[in-house]
Amino acid sequence: FTLGGEASTDYTLTSTDEKVATVENGVVTLVGGGSAKMVVAYNGSTVLEIPVTVVAYTPIRTVEEFEAIYSNQAGKYMLMNDLDFQGAEFSAFSGWNSAFDKPTFSAFTGIFDGNGYAIKNIVPKHDAARHPSDTSTDASIFGVIGNGGVIRNLKVIANIKYRGGVVASLVNVGGLVENCYVECTVASSVAGISASNCFGGIVF
C-alpha cells in the first residue's frame, strides 16, 4: 500500500473468506464462487471493507463435460466453444414427470450460459431409462427448467426426430430462457404439425 506516495507497512489487506478470494503481497486473487469482504486495516483498526461477490462457472469444453451436467443440475456452467454431437441422440437432463416427482426433483435449476457458442448436430430424444416415471415422450436438451434455472446466449443446431422443444420441454415460473437461437431439420414419420405433435421450437 502507499500513503502520501510512499509505501506503508501500517496498512494491511485481508479477506474474510479465502475460499472466495485470497491476498498475497497486496494482490487479490478470486478463487471461488461466493461472497467475501476485503478488509483494509491501519495499525490493526479497520478503515475500509470492500464487498466482493464472485460467480464461478464450470467451463464446458467437451461433449462429455456437457453430459455430466445431468449429475448436478443446480450448477453454473459456461460453454467455452462449439460442441459437435455428430448426429448422436441426447436425452434431456430432466423429464416432465420426474421433475415434479419429489424427492427425486430433477429440473434444471442452475445457470447455463452458452457464451454465444453453439451445440451442433444434436438429436434430442426421450430416454425411458433415464426418466422411467415419465409417460410423456417429449424430447429436448435441458428438459424442465425449474425455479431459478436460466439458459441464455445459446445457439442450437439440431436434427429433430421426436416431438418436443429443442432447448427445453417446459419452463416453470421463475425459470428463464433468453437470447437463444434454434436451427433445426425436422425428420419425422408423424404427418403434420399440430398442437399435439409439435417439433422444433425453442421451448415445447
Side-chain angles (χ1 to χ4, degrees):
F1 292 93
T2 61
L3 181 62
E6 296 182 2
S8 173
T9 58
D10 296 327
Y11 280 92
T12 59
L13 177 64
T14 57
S15 171
T16 59
D17 190 343
E18 293 192 344
K19 293 181 179 180
V20 176
T22 61
V23 181
E24 185 175 356
N25 297 324
V27 177
V28 177
T29 302
L30 305 179
V31 294
S35 297
K37 291 182 179 180
M38 309 310 300
V39 180
V40 180
Y42 178 69
N43 285 337
S45 298
T46 299
V47 295
L48 180 64
E49 291 185 349
I50 305 171
V52 174
T53 299
V54 180
V55 179
Y57 287 81
T58 299
I60 302 297
R61 296 185 175 90
T62 67
V63 169
E64 292 74 20
E65 289 174 345
F66 182 79
E67 291 176 336
I69 294 174
Y70 173 68
S71 63
N72 180 17
Q73 296 187 51
K76 297 178 177 66
Y77 305 95
M78 182 170 290
L79 193 59
M80 305 305 293
N81 48 255
D82 290 347
L83 294 183
D84 191 343
F85 276 73
Q86 299 181 344
E89 293 188 339
F90 181 83
S91 178
F93 293 134
S94 66
W96 283 66
N97 290 351
S98 59
F100 300 102
D101 184 20
K102 295 182 179 180
T104 58
F105 184 82
S106 61
F108 184 84
T109 57
I111 297 175
F112 185 88
D113 192 329
N115 201 21
Y117 291 108
I119 295 176
K120 299 180 177 179
N121 303 315
I122 190 171
V123 182
K125 72 165 187 174
H126 172 78
D127 188 340
R130 175 172 284 188
H131 308 298
S133 66
D134 275 3
T135 56
S136 168
T137 58
D138 297 324
S140 68
I141 297 175
F142 288 90
V144 177
I145 309 301
N147 186 21
V150 178
I151 311 296
R152 61 164 62 104
N153 305 326
L154 177 64
K155 180 179 181 180
V156 179
I157 301 174
N159 297 317
I160 305 301
K161 296 181 180 179
Y162 309 100
R163 186 182 75 167
V166 176
V167 175
S169 295
L170 176 68
V171 180
N172 278 342
V173 174
L176 177 66
V177 175
E178 65 176 355
N179 196 31
C180 291
Y181 169 83
V182 166
E183 178 181 322
C184 58
T185 299
V186 178
S188 172
S189 60
V190 178
I193 297 178
S194 66
S196 59
N197 293 300
C198 299
F199 298 83
I202 292 178
V203 178
F204 177 58

